[in-house]
Amino acid sequence: MKSPGMPMPGIWYAEVAMHHRLSKVLLALPPAAYLVVFFAVPSLLMLLASFRYPGEYGGLAPWYYIDDGQLSLDLTTENWLRLVESTIYLGLLLKSLGFALLTTLICALMAYPLALTIARSPKRHRDLLLLLVILPFWSNFLVRIYAWMIIFSPQGALSEGLNAVTGLLGLEPVNLMFSSTAVIVCLVYVHLPFMILPLYANLEKHDPALLDAAQDLGANARQRFWKITWPLSLPGIYAGGVLVFIPSLGIFAIPDLLGGTNGIMIGNVIKQQFVEARDWPFGSVLSLVLTAITLMLVAIAGRFGRPKGTANG
C-alpha cells in the first residue's frame, strides 16, 4: 500500500518531467542568448541596412524623413537589384565558392591519411603528433601569411628553382606571387588543422573489433576500409568540411596579401564596401548572402553529419 505521505505515481512522474524540461530550458538559455545578441540582432540590423541608402559621406542615410509634418520612409531595393543585375559580384561569389570547395577537397585528401595515422598510432605518441598539428596556431596568423609571401616572392628559392626548371623545358617563367595558386596553397595551409582534428576525433573512437571481425569474415584491407572505416568517418569529414569551407569562403586577408587582383574573393569585396567605399547598404547585402550560404551549409552538414552508429553493409 502507498503510505499517506507519498505522492501519487502519476504526480511524481509529472514533477520529474517538469524538472527535466526546466533543466533543458535553463541549459539552453546561455547559448540561445549568445546567438540572439551576437548573431540574430546583427543580422537583423544588416537586413534593415540593406534597404537603406548610403550616407552622403558614407555609412547609412536616415531611414525616414518628415515632410510637412508627415513621416515618410526612405527605403530602397536598389542594393538587392544591384547584386542581381551585376555579373561581377555573382562571378566573384562563384569564384569564392570554387576556391573554398577546392581548399576543402585538398584539405580532406591531405588530412584523412594523417588523421588515420595519428588515430592508429600508439597512445604514447598521439599527444606529440597532435601537438605538431596545432603547433602553427602558436604563431600569429599574419606572421605566417607574411612568411608565405617570402616563400612565393620572385627572389625566393621556390620561385627561382621552379623557373630554372621551366627555363630548361623552354617554358615561360612562373610568377607564384599574386596568383590564385598562392591563395589556394595558403588557404590549405591555414585550414588544414581544422580538418585533421575533427577527423582524428572521429577515427579515434572507432572500435577495432569491427575491423577484426571483418578480417575474420574474409574482408581484405581495402574492403575493411570502404565498408567500415570510411562510412564511420563521414561525420568527421562533414564536420571538418564545414570548419574549412565556411572560413575559406569569407576570408579576405590571404587574398589581399597573396592574391592581388587575380585572387580577389567575395570577402575582399565586402571589406572594400564597408571600409573603402563606405557603401554600408550594399556591403550588408553581400554579407547577408554570405551568411545565408553559411547557414545552408551548416544545415546540410548537420543533416548528413549525424553518426549512424553502425557501418554500412
Side-chain angles (χ1 to χ4, degrees), residues 219-236:
N220 56 34
R222 183 179 62 84
Q223 292 172 328
R224 295 197 299 272
F225 175 80
W226 289 111
K227 294 293 184 179
I228 298 177
T229 304
W230 173 257
L232 291 177
S233 64
L234 287 179

Side-chain angles (χ1 to χ4, degrees), residues 174-297:
V174 177
N175 184 18
L176 297 177
M177 192 64 179
F178 303 126
S179 65
S180 299
T181 302
V183 173
I184 294 296
V185 170
C186 201
L187 285 174
V188 171
Y189 163 75
V190 169
H191 297 101
L192 185 59
F194 295 104
M195 180 69 76
I196 295 175
L197 296 177
L199 266 175
Y200 164 76
N202 176 278
L203 293 169
E204 193 267 339
K205 296 177 182 178
H206 291 188
D207 189 356
L210 295 174
L211 298 176
D212 295 337
Q215 186 176 10
D216 293 339
L217 293 173
N220 56 34
R222 183 179 62 84
Q223 292 172 328
R224 295 197 299 272
F225 175 80
W226 289 111
K227 294 293 184 179
I228 298 177
T229 304
W230 173 257
L232 291 177
S233 64
L234 287 179
I237 294 177
Y238 293 139
V242 170
L243 291 177
V244 172
F245 189 92
I246 291 177
S248 298
L249 181 61
I251 199 167
F252 63 87
I254 292 176
D256 255 354
L257 297 175
L258 292 172
T261 56
N262 296 323
I264 189 172
M265 296 174 64
I266 193 66
N268 302 97
V269 180
I270 294 175
K271 188 204 74 170
Q272 291 170 0
Q273 295 299 319
F274 278 103
V275 177
E276 299 172 13
R278 292 187 57 79
D279 189 351
W280 291 10
F282 189 63
S284 298
V285 169
L286 296 176
S287 300
L288 288 171
V289 171
L290 200 61
T291 302
I293 295 175
T294 300
L295 291 176
M296 181 181 64
L297 293 172

